[in-house]
Amino acid sequence: MNIMILSVGTRNKIVQYFKRTLLGVGNVIATDASPLAPALYEANRYYIVPRITEEGYIDKILDICKREQIKGIFSLIDPELSLLARNNNRFIEIGVTVIGSSIELCEMSLNKWKMYQWLSSHGYNCARSYIDKTRFYDDVELKKMFYPVFVKPIYGSASVSVSKVYDRETMETYWRHSKELMIQEFLDGQEIGADVYIDMISGNVVSIFTKKKIAMRAGETDKAVSFKDKKLFQLIEQFVIEAGYLGQIDIDIFEVGGDYYISEVNPRFGGGYPHAYECGCDHMKLIMNNLSGISNKKYIGAYEDDVYGMKFNEVVTRRKVNIL
Ligand SMILES: Nc1ncnc2c1ncn2[C@@H]1O[C@H](COP(=O)(O)OP(=O)(O)O)[C@@H](O)[C@H]1O
Ligand SMILES: [Mg+2]
């Protein structure tokens, strides 16, 4: 059974873990648009492919799937998630399962405003948000909103252009320089990350790993500690089932005054997933089972708590790389 990981970039650990799980039964095939993506060299075989925005990209991926007898495919970057979901039928036709959520959920997860509307209309705690600056100013007048607030692009990732804003003057400066911004209530509390697997066959939430974030770097969790709370597991399960996510997802949550607030979802392996794996949440195995037609048993919270995760950098060297 072979698996293909698209846009692997620097996610070497994800490739390593899959290779470990597939040892003796299959290969990991990796792709990236850049020959300088280090995770390529971790895989059993790799392909340098066009950028996802180029015409014919999906045809090329389908060709590789056929040649490599791929059973399951997923991407590690946000803009590719919707593309895969949109072409789901073309993959099914050649016997390939896209491990991921529906097109609607992929698009909602990328759009922070849509996500906010869904969360608030379904009764989940979340940071009060605005895309209309005037409405926000009105609510400040009415003392419904208070500075500081967070300002961020509606379609943002990796913390790019996310700022804490303390006054109207600074707010105006941000809005002069950017479009499609969102203003959000400041959640003053503990940041939490959840790595969740939703069984692709049964639709059940079968694994949840939660951690408290201690330090962030370049928009990713750099240091964190695992913990368990039944109340949080229940909230995650309810939210994920109600929204209808499938496969691997990563959720950002805040704990403020004993209440949990859902912030955002990445419907893919998050950058912090290795912490979950190292604590015992082997989601690669869950994926392999699903691809073999086996649904997984519910095993929520099956990991060690109080385990600290600390990231570090590594380097890959190659003498000859064909820079296109
Ligand atoms: N409303 C908020 N309250 C407090 N901190 C926030 C808020 N929004 C964002 N942040 C901080 O900024 C980071 C990035 O924001 P986020 O909305 O997760 O965007 P991205 O898609 O770039 O990860 C968060 O991990 C958190 O540290
Ligand atoms: Mg985030």
Side-chain angles (χ1 to χ4, degrees), residues 129-192:
S129 304
Y130 299 79
I131 45 170
D132 181 342
K133 188 165 49 104
T134 320
R135 278 213 178 159
F136 164 69
Y137 290 147
D138 288 348
D139 278 357
V140 171
E141 285 291 312
L142 293 168
K143 301 221 179 317
K144 281 193 196 162
M145 281 295 285
F146 303 90
Y147 289 102
V149 289
F150 265 75
V151 178
K152 54 176 98 169
I154 293 173
Y155 294 96
S157 72
S159 295
V160 174
S161 308
V162 177
S163 315
K164 199 171 175 181
V165 170
Y166 289 83
D167 53 58
R168 184 167 174 152
E169 202 187 316
T170 320
M171 185 66 83
E172 286 298 316
T173 315
Y174 277 107
W175 283 77
R176 255 197 306 280
H177 295 290
S178 328
K179 280 186 219 114
E180 303 200 302
L181 286 181
M182 187 160 106
I183 304 168
Q184 202 167 69
E185 168 192 3
F186 169 48
L187 294 176
D188 191 7
Q190 173 66 54
E191 286 190 58
I192 290 160

Side-chain angles (χ1 to χ4, degrees), residues 112 152 156-159 162 191 213 216 219 250-252 263-266:
K112 293 181 205 293
K152 54 176 98 169
S157 72
S159 295
V162 177
E191 286 190 58
K213 300 180 183 179
M216 309 281 288
D250 157 290
I251 315 175
D252 283 347
S263 173
E264 62 162 3
V265 178
N266 295 307

Side-chain angles (χ1 to χ4, degrees), residues 233-250:
F233 289 159
Q234 277 164 5
L235 170 72
I236 291 173
E237 195 171 351
Q238 189 196 334
F239 159 63
V240 165
I241 295 289
E242 192 170 352
Y245 287 100
L246 281 178
Q248 179 70 30
I249 66 166
D250 157 290

Side-chain angles (χ1 to χ4, degrees), residues 159-297:
S159 295
V160 174
S161 308
V162 177
S163 315
K164 199 171 175 181
V165 170
Y166 289 83
D167 53 58
R168 184 167 174 152
E169 202 187 316
T170 320
M171 185 66 83
E172 286 298 316
T173 315
Y174 277 107
W175 283 77
R176 255 197 306 280
H177 295 290
S178 328
K179 280 186 219 114
E180 303 200 302
L181 286 181
M182 187 160 106
I183 304 168
Q184 202 167 69
E185 168 192 3
F186 169 48
L187 294 176
D188 191 7
Q190 173 66 54
E191 286 190 58
I192 290 160
D195 297 286
V196 181
Y197 190 74
I198 305 101
D199 197 273
M200 300 278 297
I201 297 173
S202 69
N204 288 332
V205 177
V206 291
S207 175
I208 303 177
F209 173 83
T210 50
K211 61 178 185 243
K212 291 183 185 168
K213 300 180 183 179
I214 297 169
M216 309 281 288
R217 186 160 56 106
E220 281 199 10
T221 308
D222 199 36
K223 301 175 196 300
V225 59
S226 64
F227 80 108
K228 302 185 198 186
D229 178 2
K230 274 218 178 82
K231 186 178 131 191
L232 179 56
F233 289 159
Q234 277 164 5
L235 170 72
I236 291 173
E237 195 171 351
Q238 189 196 334
F239 159 63
V240 165
I241 295 289
E242 192 170 352
Y245 287 100
L246 281 178
Q248 179 70 30
I249 66 166
D250 157 290
I251 315 175
D252 283 347
I253 299 157
F254 285 78
E255 187 264 313
V256 186
D259 289 323
Y260 292 112
Y261 288 69
I262 298 171
S263 173
E264 62 162 3
V265 178
N266 295 307
R268 55 167 170 78
F269 278 99
Y273 171 73
H275 190 175
Y277 181 92
E278 300 294 342
C279 287
C281 293
D282 182 354
H283 292 189
M284 282 63 193
K285 183 82 183 112
L286 305 179
I287 289 176
M288 298 321 299
N289 285 344
N290 277 175
L291 293 179
S292 310
I294 303 163
S295 62
N296 294 289
K297 287 201 184 72

